[in-house]
Amino acid sequence: MKEKISFNVSARTARLIGRENVATSEGAIIELVKNTYDADSDICVVFFDIPYPSAPNKLSNSEFYNLLPYARESGISLESAYSLLDELWVKNKFEAPEGVNGKDLSDIRREFVRSNSKLEYFFASFSCVYIIDNGEGMSADIIKKQWMTIGTDNKALEFESTNGRIKSGAKGIGRFALDKLGRLGEMRTITSEYNESTIWHVDWDSFEQQGKNIDEIYATIESIQFNHSDYLKEVLPSAAIEDFDKSIVDFKYSSLLACMESGTIIKISSVRDVWNERTLRSLRTGLESLVPPVEDSSFQLFMYNNCYEEFNGKILPEVCEDFDYKINVTADSDLNLNITVYRNEFDVEKIPDNVFKRDFFQDERFNKESFKKGGYTLNVPLGQLLPGISESETYDIDEIGSFSFSLYFMKQASNQRDIEAYFLKTINSENRKHWLKINSGVKVFRDNFRVRPYGEQDSASWDWLGLGNRVALSPAAVSRKGYWKVSPQNIAGVINISRVHNPHFQDKSSREGLQESDALLKFQEIIKRLIKIFEDDRSSVYSEFRKYRDDNTVVPAKEDVSNQERRKADLIADKMFKEYKHKKFSNGGRKQTKSDDETLAIAYLSEKNEKQNLERELDDVQKENFLLRIFASSGVTIASFTHELDNLQTKLGDRFGEIKETLLNYVKEEDFKEVIKYENPFYKIDLFEKEDRKLKRWLQYTLRTIRKDKRNRKQINISDYFLTFETDWIDTLAERKASIELIDNAKGYQLRAFEIDLDCIFNNLIINSLDAFMAAKSRCERKIKIQLDSNSSGLFIIYSDLGPGLSKDIAEPKDIFKPTYTTKRDKNGKEVGTGMGMWLLSKTLEEYGAKAILNKPDVGFELQLIFPHKYQNKRK
């Protein structure tokens, strides 16, 4: 017989979702502050009543006897921690009072050492935390039906407050933050609508009773007439009330007491944490970053305590006014982006007019006018930010929603040499270091409240975008255009999202961050690409300033010094250096002043030696670059077909033909006609044999690619090369239902080249065409055409296909030749292509003085390659 049974919830569940689920006490207070905002409060006051900032050295008799029962309940021996002297109980004073013998005093000493750490927490537990607001309050009925319901969905369903605020809470568990803060909770609340006043009490330790279900644990509620003003006069120091009244601005009430006709006062006592100078400073810093740095007086936050005056007063968000770069971004629901880049790093008056005459500075983003204005604005769709997204069938743009983003960049130091070379403004390093120490990191705000712990100091989520890892992978100098990456230590950012416009960004149950989802991964990629706009701008400007400096450095021209004069200079310098060394050693090695001639000779020889070392290093780098292109070309080719290779057997040859012959000695193929094919051994043998052939062919191709003779420069018959090239690719093209057409109008043309270079160019083009065919949204003819022509000027090759062509997201077609530029992305917008293929192609063409021209055919992709007839390849 079936019966329905219900789930029981243990009483300790309250501790799991409260004390253990909320990470820190600071986070618990922030949750309670958010609740005051959701209640349409104009103000929130967080007050700490701290009777004992630390364990006191002295206790009066009355204090001692008042605290004694609480100490014994907590397992603390006040008797062993204090000794009676002159009618005062004095901590750590071990002179024996009258009537106490030496043995008893030794026991007291040992017990004191054992319980001293407990003593700090014992006295700290007498502190009280108050959260005060003047919101709409709660009636007894609301407390019973909503406040007392775990996981209530009222905020999720009614996410807009009476005054139009978007509520920051939705999980229905924020009230359990009280348990994180202390054992006893009290709430005094007065409704704005009916002026109904209610007091609610709970002892959170009652939830730890063994064997109890949560419906067997009770809080108490009492409807009683009271007003908040009288209570606050008793609780708050008069100095706090006076400071509040002076601090309120743009406020409809003249004083704190006047605005408390309705609202809620929460008191947490028997606190679980030590609230001292360190923890209060940390909390104030956290509250300062709780709301974004905008001018908004509709909600004002205050913090007070009775021990440390420096932390008292109104909480104001930190605003960054001293920055080198800033970007502001707003995105609508279709992710059309309005991006403004602000430059504040350069002293425009120092920049020579000749700088702005250079080709780079003719772009309106970098001309003199943009530098004077301090920046420029771009309006771009998401596709231009993440090229290839528009063609993706798996990227769901609706998962993101509208948002805004601001980023500040501040270098923490600069030297005089850089200030002069790059026309920089002077900065105050100490001020910047202090500001960044507190505010660095990219923070997320939802509906005007911070989503912790993103961008939070000393948190694993401080660098949640992984910017530090980008720097480690590309530690380039800022003058390396397109390569420089910003360090997370030098930036501060603010991202604004909303529950209404970004519903796919859901809180974790702990309220510590957002759930890991495809939407969040997409969003991270977008933010990183926005940061790259600033990085590319700054590195481009620095790169051009460096080129200008190099171009204007005055050095003797090559023709000013003949080879004979250079050899003579070497002899003179050598002679003078030997004389200087002889003089130095004959003087006992003591330091002596060099003559001008000696200084010039030594400097000349030193520079010459350094130049020779650099030339050797450059030669090594060129050789490494050559090898890297070889392996990169093979790597790109292999990487594009890893899916096929992953599923192949490891052994190759004609083994399956032999197996089939052996099998036919015992059975006939006709015996398996009625068997489904995947259970038919003959079908499986044919399948394995086909895969063997495929893998064997690709291994042969790879080995052919890196064959030594391909790395020798020789006269290559271009017609013969492409006939072999077509043969190498014919089977792979057939598998992809693609074909290649070779039109040879350059019969017998000889190109002096490395065969591996031609492989690098045309293998990458073939790979890109096949990928484009596979990714095409609509049916297209999978045809590739290579047309060869030649004349006295050189060799002309037109490569084309009938695929979808370049992505419409590519604003500047020549960008495809940049390193790491790719339009291949996964469903979350993350780059999955290497972005190296077309860069390798362009670098290889440079070796031959060849050019690549992107044509604009009606259908597909077309690239014209021009190899000049007489050109000495750079590699010997």
Side-chain angles (χ1 to χ4, degrees):
M1 178 178 176
K2 291 182 180 179
E3 63 173 312
K4 292 183 178 180
I5 58 174
S6 61
F7 285 96
N8 287 326
V9 181
S10 167
R12 66 186 295 269
T13 303
R15 195 181 80 180
L16 295 176
I17 62 178
R19 199 184 316 169
E20 296 182 10
N21 197 37
V22 180
T24 64
S25 293
E26 181 183 318
I29 288 178
I30 288 173
E31 286 301 315
L32 295 171
V33 171
K34 288 181 181 180
N35 284 346
T36 70
Y37 178 86
D38 293 347
D40 275 335
S41 179
D42 301 305
I43 59 101
C44 175
V45 179
V46 181
F47 172 64
F48 294 86
D49 182 11
I50 308 173
Y52 300 105
S54 60
N57 286 326
K58 294 183 179 182
L59 287 178
S60 67
N61 283 342
S62 60
E63 281 182 297
F64 177 84
Y65 287 112
N66 286 336
L67 294 173
L68 197 56
Y70 300 106
R72 288 173 176 170
E73 184 182 335
S74 304
I76 302 290
S77 175
L78 283 189
E79 295 94 330
S80 62
Y82 289 85
S83 299
L84 184 60
L85 290 174
D86 300 327
E87 296 189 350
L88 287 176
W89 291 87
V90 183
K91 177 184 175 185
N92 207 12
K93 297 285 188 180
F94 291 125
E95 297 108 358
E98 187 176 349
V100 177
N101 60 38
K103 182 179 181 301
D104 291 338
L105 187 59
S106 297
D107 292 341
I108 289 173
R109 285 174 176 161
R110 282 194 297 272
E111 180 62 22
F112 171 74
V113 172
R114 188 184 67 80
S115 63
N116 191 38
S117 59
K118 292 184 180 180
L119 210 60
E120 293 294 323
Y121 283 95
F122 171 70
F123 282 101
S125 69
F126 289 95
S127 298
C128 294
V129 183
Y130 295 83
I131 312 292
I132 303 163
D133 74 68
N134 71 332
E136 58 189 2
M138 287 185 285
S139 65
D141 191 53
I142 289 176
I143 292 174
K144 293 173 184 176
K145 293 181 179 179
Q146 296 179 12
W147 179 263
M148 292 293 292
T149 301
I150 299 172
T152 180
D153 59 1
N154 68 298
K155 284 189 181 182
L157 299 175
E158 300 173 13
F159 55 81
E160 190 171 323
S161 72
T162 304
N163 292 338
R165 290 178 178 172
I166 303 301
K167 298 177 182 178
S168 61
K171 296 293 184 185
I173 59 175
R175 69 222 57 176
F176 286 94
L178 296 172
D179 183 21
K180 180 70 177 179
L181 293 170
R183 181 171 71 87
L184 301 176
E186 175 188 281
M187 179 171 66
R188 305 168 69 94
T189 181
I190 302 174
T191 61
S192 57
E193 189 173 358
Y194 303 109
N195 199 32
E196 178 184 343
S197 53
T198 309
I199 298 179
W200 172 89
H201 290 273
V202 69
D203 181 345
W204 294 107
D205 281 2
S206 64
F207 287 86
E208 297 185 6
Q209 299 179 54
Q210 292 186 357
K212 293 281 188 179
N213 287 338
I214 202 162
D215 59 352
E216 298 177 82
I217 307 300
Y218 299 94
T220 63
I221 188 170
E222 180 181 8
S223 294
I224 186 173
Q225 286 299 315
F226 61 84
N227 64 69
H228 285 325
S229 298
D230 292 341
Y231 182 69
L232 290 179
K233 288 178 185 178
E234 297 175 11
V235 171
L236 291 178
S238 58
I241 297 176
E242 291 172 6
D243 181 82
F244 178 95
D245 294 346
K246 292 176 183 177
S247 301
I248 52 176
V249 292
D250 301 327
F251 203 49
K252 54 190 174 184
Y253 298 101
S254 59
S255 68
L256 173 63
L257 300 180
C259 74
M260 292 300 298
E261 294 181 1
S262 66
T264 300
I265 300 175
I266 291 176
K267 175 185 177 183
I268 302 105
S269 53
S270 292
V271 298
R272 306 188 193 279
D273 292 271
V274 177
W275 291 103
N276 54 26
E277 185 176 7
R278 181 185 60 80
T279 52
L280 289 176
R281 177 181 286 107
S282 176
L283 174 63
R284 185 170 180 93
T285 300
L287 292 175
E288 284 173 349
S289 63
L290 180 60
V291 292
V294 294
E295 292 295 327
D296 182 8
S297 59
S298 63
F299 179 75
Q300 300 188 33
L301 179 59
F302 299 80
M303 174 175 157
Y304 294 101
N305 73 91
N306 62 336
C307 289
Y308 308 99
E309 188 176 347
E310 62 184 293
F311 304 127
N312 289 342
K314 186 176 180 180
I315 303 291
L316 294 171
E318 288 278 355
V319 178
C320 180
E321 296 179 349
D322 176 27
F323 58 86
D324 290 323
Y325 263 84
K326 179 173 75 168
I327 59 172
N328 282 344
V329 181
T330 58
D332 63 19
S333 57
D334 295 324
L335 293 190
N336 295 307
L337 302 157
N338 179 274
I339 305 166
T340 303
V341 178
Y342 298 92
R343 297 190 199 99
N344 192 43
E345 186 171 13
F346 308 103
D347 190 335
V348 183
E349 299 303 319
K350 292 181 181 177
I351 305 175
D353 287 338
N354 286 339
V355 170
F356 292 109
K357 293 178 182 178
R358 298 171 69 89
D359 290 342
F360 171 82
F361 294 97
Q362 303 315 301
D363 188 315
E364 61 181 11
R365 293 173 298 165
F366 300 100
N367 60 23
K368 189 171 185 177
E369 184 180 352
S370 78
F371 271 80
K372 284 186 173 181
K373 284 171 31 181
Y376 56 89
T377 298
L378 303 171
N379 290 289
V380 297
L382 180 66
Q384 282 191 29
L385 191 72
L386 302 174
I389 285 300
S390 299
E391 283 81 18
S392 174
E393 294 183 342
T394 58
Y395 191 92
D396 186 0
I397 196 172
D398 294 330
E399 285 187 325
I400 307 299
S402 59
F403 67 92
S404 67
F405 172 47
S406 295
L407 182 80
Y408 299 87
F409 165 76
M410 289 168 281
K411 60 180 177 292
Q412 298 188 45
S414 62
N415 56 53
Q416 191 59 36
R417 181 181 176 185
D418 285 345
I419 290 173
E420 294 174 0
Y422 298 107
F423 318 110
L424 306 178
K425 295 178 179 178
T426 56
I427 62 170
N428 188 318
S429 294
E430 290 305 314
N431 287 350
R432 286 190 172 193
K433 288 176 181 177
H434 175 73
W435 194 92
L436 285 167
K437 185 177 180 181
I438 299 172
N439 297 285
S440 65
V442 178
K443 299 175 176 63
V444 179
F445 294 85
R446 181 170 50 201
D447 299 312
N448 295 322
F449 273 97
R450 178 149 163 234
V451 181
R452 301 176 68 247
Y454 301 118
E456 187 169 290
Q457 296 289 327
D458 302 321
S459 160
S461 296
W462 171 68
D463 184 23
W464 62 284
L465 292 169
L467 301 181
N469 188 49
R470 290 165 76 243
V471 175
L473 293 173
S474 179
V478 66
S479 57
R480 287 288 307 280
K481 182 178 179 179
Y483 290 91
W484 175 74
K485 300 292 184 288
V486 68
S487 166
Q489 283 88 355
N490 289 337
I491 61 171
V494 172
I495 298 172
N496 289 293
I497 57 176
S498 169
R499 283 182 62 190
V500 176
H501 303 301
N502 313 97
H504 292 277
F505 297 154
Q506 295 291 322
D507 280 334
K508 292 179 180 177
S509 60
S510 64
R511 306 299 296 274
E512 293 285 314
L514 303 172
Q515 294 177 17
E516 300 293 335
S517 63
D518 286 348
L520 184 60
L521 293 174
K522 287 184 176 73
F523 193 55
Q524 287 177 297
E525 286 301 313
I526 292 172
I527 298 300
K528 283 188 279 190
R529 290 296 296 185
L530 289 169
I531 293 173
K532 192 176 188 305
I533 290 176
F534 141 68
E535 292 171 333
D536 288 349
D537 185 289
R538 185 169 186 254
S539 65
S540 297
V541 173
Y542 265 78
S543 175
E544 290 301 318
F545 283 163
R546 181 182 57 77
K547 290 176 183 177
Y548 171 79
R549 180 192 63 196
D550 292 345
D551 291 346
N552 288 273
T553 300
V554 180
V555 294
K558 196 171 184 179
E559 57 269 19
D560 291 338
V561 184
S562 67
N563 289 335
Q564 184 178 355
E565 289 170 328
R566 193 173 286 112
R567 286 193 292 271
K568 185 177 179 180
D570 288 342
L571 292 172
I572 294 171
D574 283 333
K575 181 181 177 183
M576 295 197 70
F577 181 58
K578 287 175 182 176
E579 290 175 354
Y580 167 74
K581 286 180 70 176
H582 176 74
K583 221 171 24 170
K584 182 179 179 182
F585 284 112
S586 63
N587 197 32
R590 290 191 297 274
K591 187 175 181 181
Q592 61 183 24
T593 305
K594 304 182 187 76
S595 69
D596 290 344
D597 290 343
E598 288 169 341
T599 301
L600 287 172
I602 293 169
Y604 171 82
L605 292 174
S606 176
E607 289 294 324
K608 179 185 175 184
N609 184 59
E610 186 176 349
K611 180 183 176 184
Q612 289 173 340
N613 289 335
L614 287 172
E615 286 175 345
R616 284 193 292 269
E617 291 175 10
L618 181 60
D619 186 58
D620 291 339
V621 168
Q622 287 176 333
K623 290 176 180 177
E624 289 175 9
N625 192 33
F626 175 43
L627 291 172
L628 282 171
R629 281 211 307 276
I630 295 171
F631 294 118
S633 178
S634 300
V636 170
T637 304
I638 295 168
S640 300
F641 295 95
T642 52
H643 180 71
E644 287 89 346
L645 294 173
D646 285 340
N647 297 312
L648 300 182
Q649 300 290 335
T650 56
K651 295 182 180 180
L652 308 175
D654 299 324
R655 54 200 170 134
F656 292 110
E658 296 175 3
I659 293 173
K660 190 173 182 179
E661 288 180 11
T662 303
L663 192 61
L664 286 170
N665 292 330
Y666 302 94
V667 295
K668 298 179 180 178
E669 285 193 61
E670 293 79 22
D671 297 340
F672 297 92
K673 283 186 177 180
E674 304 300 323
V675 177
I676 61 174
K677 62 181 181 181
Y678 289 108
E679 294 183 2
N680 183 336
F682 290 99
Y683 172 81
K684 295 178 81 170
I685 286 173
D686 290 340
L687 182 65
F688 294 153
E689 189 173 18
K690 181 181 178 182
E691 290 178 341
D692 255 18
R693 287 197 302 270
K694 189 190 300 183
L695 180 54
K696 186 174 184 177
R697 183 172 61 251
W698 276 106
L699 287 174
Q700 289 173 340
Y701 167 80
T702 303
L703 293 172
R704 249 194 335 267
T705 301
I706 59 174
R707 206 171 59 223
K708 187 174 181 180
D709 64 332
K710 290 201 171 197
R711 291 182 273 131
N712 295 325
R713 189 165 178 261
K714 59 187 178 182
Q715 292 294 129
I716 297 175
N717 184 305
I718 205 69
S719 300
D720 293 344
Y721 172 81
F722 276 104
L723 285 174
T724 303
F725 181 82
E726 183 180 13
T727 302
D728 289 344
W729 278 94
I730 195 71
D731 290 336
T732 302
L733 290 167
E735 288 171 9
R736 302 291 181 99
K737 296 181 173 55
S739 62
I740 186 170
E741 178 185 2
L742 179 63
I743 301 174
D744 186 2
N745 299 323
K747 300 289 186 183
Y749 186 90
Q750 299 284 322
L751 179 68
R752 185 162 175 76
F754 295 89
E755 191 174 339
I756 188 68
D757 286 342
L758 296 180
D759 288 346
C760 175
I761 293 169
F762 294 100
N763 286 344
N764 280 306
L765 288 172
I766 290 277
I767 290 167
N768 285 345
S769 293
L770 291 176
D771 286 343
F773 293 152
M774 300 296 287
K777 288 185 176 180
S778 56
R779 190 180 183 86
C780 63
E781 185 179 359
R782 298 185 176 186
K783 185 175 182 180
I784 296 168
K785 182 166 71 172
I786 300 176
Q787 181 175 327
L788 310 176
D789 292 287
S790 65
N791 57 32
S792 59
S793 299
L795 175 66
F796 303 85
I797 304 175
I798 297 178
Y799 178 95
S800 61
D801 68 45
L802 297 179
L806 289 180
S807 168
K808 65 180 182 180
D809 294 338
I810 301 175
E812 183 56 62
K814 65 182 180 182
D815 285 348
I816 67 173
F817 298 114
K818 293 180 178 179
T820 72
Y821 185 92
T822 181
T823 58
K824 298 173 186 175
R825 300 181 182 275
D826 63 15
K827 65 177 182 177
N828 295 321
K830 188 173 183 179
E831 294 177 349
V832 292
T834 63
M836 299 298 286
M838 295 303 288
W839 174 76
L840 286 167
L841 179 150
S842 67
K843 298 302 288 184
T844 304
L845 291 175
E846 284 181 13
E847 296 283 342
Y848 295 88
K851 293 191 298 185
I853 301 172
L854 282 165
N855 297 329
K856 295 182 179 179
D858 294 333
V859 178
F861 169 83
E862 185 172 298
L863 181 69
Q864 184 177 6
L865 307 177
I866 303 173
F867 291 83
H869 182 56
K870 291 184 179 180
Y871 185 79
Q872 182 66 38
N873 188 283
K874 293 179 183 179
R875 296 194 307 278
K876 301 293 183 184

